[in-house]
């Protein structure tokens, strides 16, 4: 979505400030996914398809409820089902709606080399602008949650937009609209954090001692948050990262390396040029030719 | 015999060697421009060399792969000239005299000086690293076969190796432009005997021996 509908805070591969003349009146937003209220109906997946006009290929069943099995360029959100036997011996069905977490410190945006292909709006949403995407896949390398997918059809990267186009005109994301149990809600990040805290108190009173909010600090917090019954073990939810961060290798690659390498290249080129003008061209003089000639003749005598 | 009438030049590079060198050079320009475009936003405009960002992503790996192979073909027959000798150490110690153009103070140099030899090894090592890591981060064909940690490490190492390669080539070009007669050696194939006498005396003596040459 272009600037006229949402203010941009950060753009990929851009060293100058983002357009910032308008004061961002919009507060930061967040989607809150309460896993304890989710019934796994996949209405959110369907709503996502409908709104974003996505039609994935019909896959094959593999004996589990996950369908499709993974995020794809055509499936920007996927419900992941896991069966967990708790210490009491009871079975818990933990269902997590997977998709882009809209990190406050987005690894994809940091890694992206194409100017303006990934933006972060003032409200916190991280969005891909496919018209600027060059298909390198660095966003996949940078993402701590394995979310972006490169389309085989056009070699562009796709993921959940948090329905930035709906949000821009004051609507809630399609998945939120469709959720029949109220497991997905949308509002300001502040409001969602507050609502989550209330729900966590509620869950604790119902015996989920470790209930909590998943808003990982390692990526500066996220604009998609989970209420988890087992917040102490996010990995139970189909491998949700316990402490996600942008990899130190990605940070080094896209951090100090860039100015240091570019600076060194410029300095070496400059040193070569300056030494040339200092000592002058290294020419072969006539006496070199004469000496060489003499030595050659002696050798051949 | 007819020595007095033969032109006072020595063959430094055969036509085949020159063609291989310039093939490497052209492919380097393609790979480096497109690679630097992806490395730093300040250089994104260099992607225009291969037709823009998306074309750079498509063509860069092929240019890099072809460069590695062409470099191998170019350097393999010349590799033995690059064996380091004791006198190379003295040459390196006298680096100050090298940049000051005081070649009279330098030890005798064979076909290649210590700087050229080390550059050959550095370029070969950088290209090997670029080749291996480049396969890993070649998204369309290969990245799906590698774990994310390996891809991240490869992306970092690829950037580092490319940095080493580019710095090496900057030094190479600066030296070639500075030492007059070098570019002519790689374009026309010959150097004057004075050039050889001044810059590569041991090689000069080897070449003028009656049984000399290669």
């Amino acid at each position: 979505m272009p600037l006229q509908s949402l203010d941009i805070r950060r753009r990929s591969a851009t060293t100058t400030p983002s357009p910032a003349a308008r004061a961002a009146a919009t507060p930061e937003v967040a989607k809150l996914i309460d896993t304890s209220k989710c019934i796994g109906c996949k209405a959110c997946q369907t709503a996502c398809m409908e709104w974003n006009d996505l039609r994935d290929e019909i896959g094959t069943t593999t004996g589990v409820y996950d369908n499709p099995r993974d995020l794809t360029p055509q499936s920007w959100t996927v419900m992941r089902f896991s069966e967990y036997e708790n210490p009491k011996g009871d079975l818990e069905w933990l269902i997590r709606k997977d998709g882009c977490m809209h990190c406050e410190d987005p690894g994809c945006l940091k890694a992206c080399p194409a100017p303006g292909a990934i933006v972060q709006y003032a409200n916190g949403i991280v969005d891909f602008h496919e018209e600027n995407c060059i298909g390198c896949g660095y966003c996949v390398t940078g993402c701590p949650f394995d979310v972006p997918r490169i389309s085989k059809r056009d070699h562009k990267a796709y993921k959940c937009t948090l329905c930035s186009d709906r949000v821009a005109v004051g609507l809630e994301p399609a998945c939120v609209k469709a959720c029949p149990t109220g497991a997905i809600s949308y509002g300001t990040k502040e409001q969602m954090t507050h609502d989550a805290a209330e729900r966590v108190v509620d869950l604790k009173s119902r015996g989920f001692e470790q209930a909590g909010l998943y808003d990982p600090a390692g990526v500066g917090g996220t604009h998609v948050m989970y209420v988890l019954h087992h917040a102490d073990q996010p990995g139970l939810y189909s491998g949700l990262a316990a402490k996600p961060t942008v990899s130190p290798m990605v940070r080094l690659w896209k951090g100090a390396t860039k100015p240091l390498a570019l600076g060194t290249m410029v300095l070496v080129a400059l040193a070569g040029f300056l030494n040339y003008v200092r000592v002058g061209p290294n020419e072969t003089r006539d006496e070199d030719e004469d000496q060489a000639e003499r030595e050659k003749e002696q050798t051949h005598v | 015999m007819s020595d007095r009438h033969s032109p006072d030049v020595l063959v430094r590079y055969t036509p085949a060697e020159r063609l291989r060198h310039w093939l490497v050079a052209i492919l380097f320009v393609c790979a480096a421009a497109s690679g630097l475009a992806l490395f730093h936003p300040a250089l994104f405009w260099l992607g225009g060399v291969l037709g823009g960002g998306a074309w750079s992503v498509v063509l860069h790996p092929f240019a890099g792969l072809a460069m590695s192979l062409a470099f191998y073909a170019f350097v393999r027959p010349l590799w033995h000239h690059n064996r380091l000798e004791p006198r190379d150490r003295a040459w390196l110690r006298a680096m100050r005299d090298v940049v000051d153009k005081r070649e009279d103070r330098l030890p005798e140099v064979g076909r290649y000086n210590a700087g050229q030899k080390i550059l050959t090894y550095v370029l070969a090592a950088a290209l090997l690293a670029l080749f291996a890591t480049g396969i890993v981060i070649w998204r369309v064909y290969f990245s799906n076969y590698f774990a994310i940690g390996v891809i991240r490490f490869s992306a970092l190492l690829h950037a580092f190796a490319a940095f080493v390669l580019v710095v090496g080539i900057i030094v190479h070009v600066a030296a070639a432009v500075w030492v007059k007669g070098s570019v002519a050696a790689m374009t026309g194939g010959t150097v004057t005997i004075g050039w050889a006498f001044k810059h590569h005396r041991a090689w000069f003596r080897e070449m003028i021996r009656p049984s000399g040459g290669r």
Side-chain angles (χ1 to χ4, degrees), chain B residues 5 12 16 51 54-55 57-58 70-71 87-88 97-98 112 114 145 151 164 174 177 188 198 201 203 211:
Chain B
H5 305 289
R12 191 149 166 91
W55 272 116
V57 168
V58 172
F71 179 83
R87 65 178 170 210
D88 290 326
D97 291 323
V98 173
Y112 292 119
Y145 300 108
I151 296 174
V164 171
V177 172
K198 181 178 165 83
R201 194 159 303 167
W203 176 67
S211 60

Side-chain angles (χ1 to χ4, degrees), chain A residues 129-152:
Chain A
H129 287 183
E130 278 82 9
E131 68 272 29
N132 295 331
C133 176
I134 58 175
C136 64
Y138 286 4
C139 52
V140 181
T141 310
C143 176
F145 293 100
D146 185 25
V147 165
R149 294 291 183 270
I150 312 288
S151 168
K152 291 258 188 288

Side-chain angles (χ1 to χ4, degrees), chain A residues 27-38:
Chain A
E28 290 194 9
V29 298
K31 183 162 79 180
L32 181 66
I33 302 170
D34 187 344
T35 57
S36 67
K37 285 184 187 166
C38 178

Side-chain angles (χ1 to χ4, degrees), chain A residues 20-88:
Chain A
R22 296 191 302 188
T26 355
E28 290 194 9
V29 298
K31 183 162 79 180
L32 181 66
I33 302 170
D34 187 344
T35 57
S36 67
K37 285 184 187 166
C38 178
I39 56 170
C41 68
K42 298 177 184 162
C44 53
Q45 286 185 207
T46 310
C48 182
M49 282 173 58
E50 286 277 327
W51 179 259
N52 293 300
D53 226 358
L54 301 169
R55 296 295 183 274
D56 212 338
E57 279 173 38
I58 308 295
T60 47
T61 182
T62 50
V64 291
Y65 274 80
D66 303 33
N67 182 11
R69 285 304 308 274
D70 198 5
L71 297 168
T72 73
Q74 293 287 313
S75 296
W76 297 349
T77 187
V78 161
M79 317 229 63
R80 297 190 187 274
F81 298 77
S82 50
E83 292 167 17
Y84 166 59
E85 202 179 312
N86 67 24
K88 278 187 260 170

Side-chain angles (χ1 to χ4, degrees), chain A residues 55-183:
Chain A
R55 296 295 183 274
D56 212 338
E57 279 173 38
I58 308 295
T60 47
T61 182
T62 50
V64 291
Y65 274 80
D66 303 33
N67 182 11
R69 285 304 308 274
D70 198 5
L71 297 168
T72 73
Q74 293 287 313
S75 296
W76 297 349
T77 187
V78 161
M79 317 229 63
R80 297 190 187 274
F81 298 77
S82 50
E83 292 167 17
Y84 166 59
E85 202 179 312
N86 67 24
K88 278 187 260 170
D90 296 333
L91 187 71
E92 290 181 27
W93 209 16
L94 305 177
I95 309 163
R96 176 169 67 91
K97 175 192 181 309
D98 196 7
C100 177
M101 299 297 287
H102 296 273
C103 304
E104 179 62 16
D105 178 19
C108 57
L109 191 149
K110 196 180 288 276
C112 177
I118 304 182
V119 300
Q120 184 175 42
Y121 299 119
N123 63 15
I125 293 177
V126 179
D127 211 355
F128 286 5
H129 287 183
E130 278 82 9
E131 68 272 29
N132 295 331
C133 176
I134 58 175
C136 64
Y138 286 4
C139 52
V140 181
T141 310
C143 176
F145 293 100
D146 185 25
V147 165
R149 294 291 183 270
I150 312 288
S151 168
K152 291 258 188 288
R153 199 178 301 164
D154 60 10
H155 303 290
K156 308 283 181 208
Y158 292 92
K159 70 164 188 68
C160 160
T161 66
L162 210 80
C163 284
S164 56
D165 47 352
R166 291 174 58 90
V167 167
V169 292
L171 298 173
E172 59 193 358
C175 57
V176 179
K177 183 91 178 165
C179 180
T181 66

Side-chain angles (χ1 to χ4, degrees), chain A residues 141 278-279 289 293 295 300, chain B residues 3 8 100 192 205 208:
Chain A
T141 310
R278 182 178 69 93
V279 300
E289 300 291 352
E293 190 61 43
E295 190 169 328
H300 285 247
Chain B
D3 278 346
D8 288 338
D100 282 350
T192 65
R205 291 194 174 132
I208 61 166

